[in-house]
């Protein structure tokens, strides 16, 4: 890396034009006009969209940044080898999903993409490179990348592999990239590695104060990413566990969350009880951590972390069952309005969205669904609710016979017996619920999986309201169980 000691990085190549690669490179290009940033991908359609007016992902502010920098110092290309050979620093931002086959199936990370791009880098590099793991990888993945690069590199070429995990959250990606809590960079102790670390730091120092840049060894950095997601997911599963207790005792989970979150040692964030967490990473990364513990013969630790997933699955399932139970245990043929399909607000991403499980449960109970989401494409919803995965009672028709994707919540609620809120889109707080009530069948139910609405207001309108972490009205009607409220 001596050749880089006294010069700055001027050309970056990012492999993987997804939710991480795209926004990350757009922000680097915006903050570092002196650096040429090229994002490459093996999926030509995705690159085509990045070069169009219809970007493949939605993030607030992303559009304007891409339009400002694209073809100035930000490029999107399918010429992977060429861009690798020209860059001094390469980000690896490929997807690392959970394995669905073979050893470690259902828990271990599938690293085939990571291995493929490592070989590609070795084959394409005619001079030394800094290779940066931006993808979330198992601990010691950098060692494997190093071995592949070393075994396939051209003579005279040297690689330094760094860990630089990304902590952006979808829906706030641009803000998270411009104002991160921290930048984490892991590298070895060698001189070359420390030069590489400083070169990567120099890029971030164009807009991030040095005190926010944390330097660790490679393994600490890789494990910190898995641990960070596990801790965040744990908070959600913990407050969701408390929400079950609230529903059984008359406590209100929002009040409990506020009371405990006021303790500065706990803090108020990630205490919003919900239908359960979704997204492509929490479940994947916690399962990866579980697998790592099992592999390292730490079964008690594996079991500890696995409970996060078990609680999340329980939360999604019990919310779905509560809908059927409250509606007299029969929803066959009933139209149910589903508000929100994305795994969270401000994104069109449906990966691991809790809405999918809820919709599948309702369809298998014979309901007719009218689904509205402001950002998720109709094609995506139909692809996610693949009819061949469902056991619909008279399931010999096509999905469109059971699922209608509509353009507005009012169309969804017309002639509907119930409204089910699955995603915390802000617009669902401002809807004209009087109008929706007038359009619905009676009794009209609303199941709030995100605790967005005001119970009293809606009950005044005439709705039967059910919320996460608040005792069910259904339980109060003729319930024979002991009443803890005495
Ligand atoms: N989505 C998120 O909010 C965050 C994701 N991450 C991590 O970042 C990584 C990427 O995640 P996403 O961007 O969401 O994934 P994604 O699936 O949106 O994008 C990955 C891209 O890599 C491309 N790719 C895969 N193999 C390739 C290959 N061999 N050559 C060239 N391109 C290839 C795919 O075509 C795809 O476009 C994952 O490890 C994830 O855990 C980390 C922080 C946030
Ligand atoms: O590695 C990743 O992919 C990223 O995963 C999460 O980001 P993301 O999944 O995009 O979104 P979050 O805002 O964390 O929400 C995750 C899920 O938890 C749910 N959630 C969040 C917060 C809360 O209090 N309650 C709750 O149910 C959300 O609705 C969503 O379904 C982490 O927040 C990021 O730091 C991390 O980089």
């Amino acid at each position: 890396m001596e050749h880089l000691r006294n010069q700055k990085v001027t050309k970056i190549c990012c492999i993987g034009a997804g939710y991480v690669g795209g926004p990350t490179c757009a922000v680097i290009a915006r903050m570092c006009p002196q650096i040429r940033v090229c994002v490459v991908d093996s999926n030509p359609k995705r690159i085509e969209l990045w070069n169009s007016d219809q970007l493949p992902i939605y993030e607030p502010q992303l559009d304007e940044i891409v339009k400002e920098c694209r073809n100035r110092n930000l490029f999107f290309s399918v010429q992977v080898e060429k861009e690798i050979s020209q860059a001094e620093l390469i980000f690896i931002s490929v997807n690392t999903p959970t394995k669905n086959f073979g050893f470690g199936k259902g828990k271990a990370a599938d690293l085939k993409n990571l291995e493929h791009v490592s070989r590609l880098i070795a084959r394409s590099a005619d001079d030394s490179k800094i290779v940066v793991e931006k993808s979330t990888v198992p601990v010691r993945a950098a060692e494997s990348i190093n071995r592949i690069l070393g075994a396939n590199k051209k003579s005279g070429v040297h690689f330094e592999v760094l860990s630089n995990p990304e902590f952006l959250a979808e829906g706030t990606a641009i803000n998270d990239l411009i104002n991160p809590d921290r930048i984490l960079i892991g590298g070895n102790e060698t001189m070359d590695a420390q030069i590489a670390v400083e070169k990567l730091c120099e890029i971030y120092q164009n807009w991030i104060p040095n005190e926010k840049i944390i330097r660790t060894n490679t393994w600490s950095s890789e494990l910190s990413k898995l641990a960070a997601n596990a801790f965040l997911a744990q908070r959600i599963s913990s407050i969701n566990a408390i929400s079950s207790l609230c529903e059984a005792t008359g406590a209100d989970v929002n009040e409990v969350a506020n009371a405990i979150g006021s303790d500065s040692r706990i803090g108020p964030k990630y205490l919003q009880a919900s239908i359960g967490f979704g997204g492509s990473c929490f479940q994947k990364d916690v399962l990866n951590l579980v697998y790592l513990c099992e592999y390292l013969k730490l079964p008690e630790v594996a079991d500890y972390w696995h409970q996060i997933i078990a609680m999340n699955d329980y939360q999604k399932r019990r919310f779905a069952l509560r809908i059927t139970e409250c509606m007299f245990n029969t929803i066959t043929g009933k139209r149910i309005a589903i508000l929100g399909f994305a795994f969270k607000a401000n994104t069109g991403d449906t990966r691991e969205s809790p809405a999918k499980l809820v919709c599948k449960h309702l369809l298998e109970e014979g309901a007719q669904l009218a689904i509205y989401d402001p950002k998720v494409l109709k094609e995506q919803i139909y692809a996610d609710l693949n009819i061949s995965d469902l056991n619909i009672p008279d399931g010999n028709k096509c999905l469109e016979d059971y699922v209608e994707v509509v353009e507005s919540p009012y169309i969804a609620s017309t002639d509907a017996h119930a409204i089910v809120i699955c995603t915390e889109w802000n617009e669902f707080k401002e809807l004209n619920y009087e109008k929706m009530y007038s359009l619905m069948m009676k009794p009209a139910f609303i199941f709030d999986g995100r605790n967005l609405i005001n119970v009293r207001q809606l009950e005044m309108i005439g709705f039967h309201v059910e919320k996460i972490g608040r005792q069910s009205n259904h339980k109060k009607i003729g319930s024979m169980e002991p009443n803890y409220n005495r």
Side-chain angles (χ1 to χ4, degrees), residues 136 166-170 225 229 232 236 270-272 274 276-282 285 343-344 424 450:
T136 302
E166 180 48 57
F167 295 97
L168 70 83
E170 292 185 21
K225 172 60 190 175
N229 274 0
L232 290 167
I236 298 167
Y270 279 73
L271 290 180
Q272 177 59 51
S274 68
F277 59 75
S280 62
C281 296
F282 274 175
D285 295 347
F343 82 87
K344 64 179 282 194
E424 67 279 27
R450 296 291 183 166

Side-chain angles (χ1 to χ4, degrees), residues 175-398:
N175 182 56
D176 296 339
L177 287 161
I178 293 176
N179 306 298
D181 287 340
R182 69 347 202 148
I183 294 292
L184 179 58
I185 299 175
N188 297 329
E189 302 300 316
T190 64
M191 180 63 73
D192 275 340
Q194 289 310 304
I195 292 174
V197 167
E198 286 320 306
K199 292 301 140 191
L200 182 55
C201 288
E202 282 170 6
I203 294 170
Y204 288 114
Q205 282 160 350
N206 279 285
W207 76 97
I208 294 169
N210 191 48
E211 53 270 20
K212 279 197 170 186
I213 300 177
I214 300 172
R215 298 161 177 82
T216 69
N217 78 38
T218 315
W219 318 140
S220 299
S221 175
E222 291 174 332
L223 181 56
S224 296
K225 172 60 190 175
L226 295 178
N229 274 0
F231 272 66
L232 290 167
Q234 181 187 52
R235 280 178 75 99
I236 298 167
S237 282
S238 298
I239 197 65
N240 283 342
I242 293 295
S243 75
S244 294
L245 266 175
C246 293
E247 289 162 29
T249 59
D252 181 315
V253 75
N254 288 343
E255 293 175 350
V256 173
N258 181 48
I260 65 175
S262 306
D263 181 324
S264 59
R265 294 167 302 172
I266 297 174
K269 294 182 178 176
Y270 279 73
L271 290 180
Q272 177 59 51
S274 68
I275 189 174
F277 59 75
S280 62
C281 296
F282 274 175
Q283 174 163 293
K284 164 176 80 75
D285 295 347
V286 171
L287 287 171
N288 198 349
L289 199 59
V290 169
Y291 176 71
L292 187 66
C293 297
E294 288 170 348
Y295 183 80
L296 296 170
K297 309 274 184 288
L298 300 168
E300 293 81 2
V301 183
D303 290 347
Y304 175 80
W305 291 113
H306 196 265
Q307 282 315 301
I308 295 170
I309 304 298
M311 180 51 62
N312 197 51
D313 291 343
Y314 168 69
Q315 187 78 352
K316 290 186 277 189
R317 240 186 356 263
R318 75 187 188 82
F319 180 74
L321 288 171
R322 186 172 171 186
I323 296 168
T324 317
E325 282 166 12
C326 285
M327 294 176 75
F328 322 111
N329 265 324
T330 169
I331 56 175
T332 307
K334 290 179 181 174
R335 181 179 168 97
I336 296 181
I338 304 293
L339 301 191
F341 199 80
F343 82 87
K344 64 179 282 194
N346 297 319
T347 180
D349 192 348
T350 64
R351 291 180 288 185
E352 300 303 326
S353 172
K356 289 197 251 189
L357 179 129
V358 172
C359 289
K360 287 181 178 180
H361 167 81
L362 298 175
L363 286 168
E364 291 181 348
E365 288 288 330
Q368 296 280 326
L369 303 186
I371 301 175
Y372 166 75
D373 187 288
K375 279 293 170 196
V376 178
L377 299 176
K378 179 177 189 173
E379 298 70 28
Q380 185 62 56
I381 294 175
Y382 282 128
D384 286 338
L385 295 177
N386 185 334
I387 193 149
S388 57
D389 299 341
L390 302 174
N391 304 311
I392 295 179
D394 64 345
N396 49 10
K397 302 175 194 162
C398 62

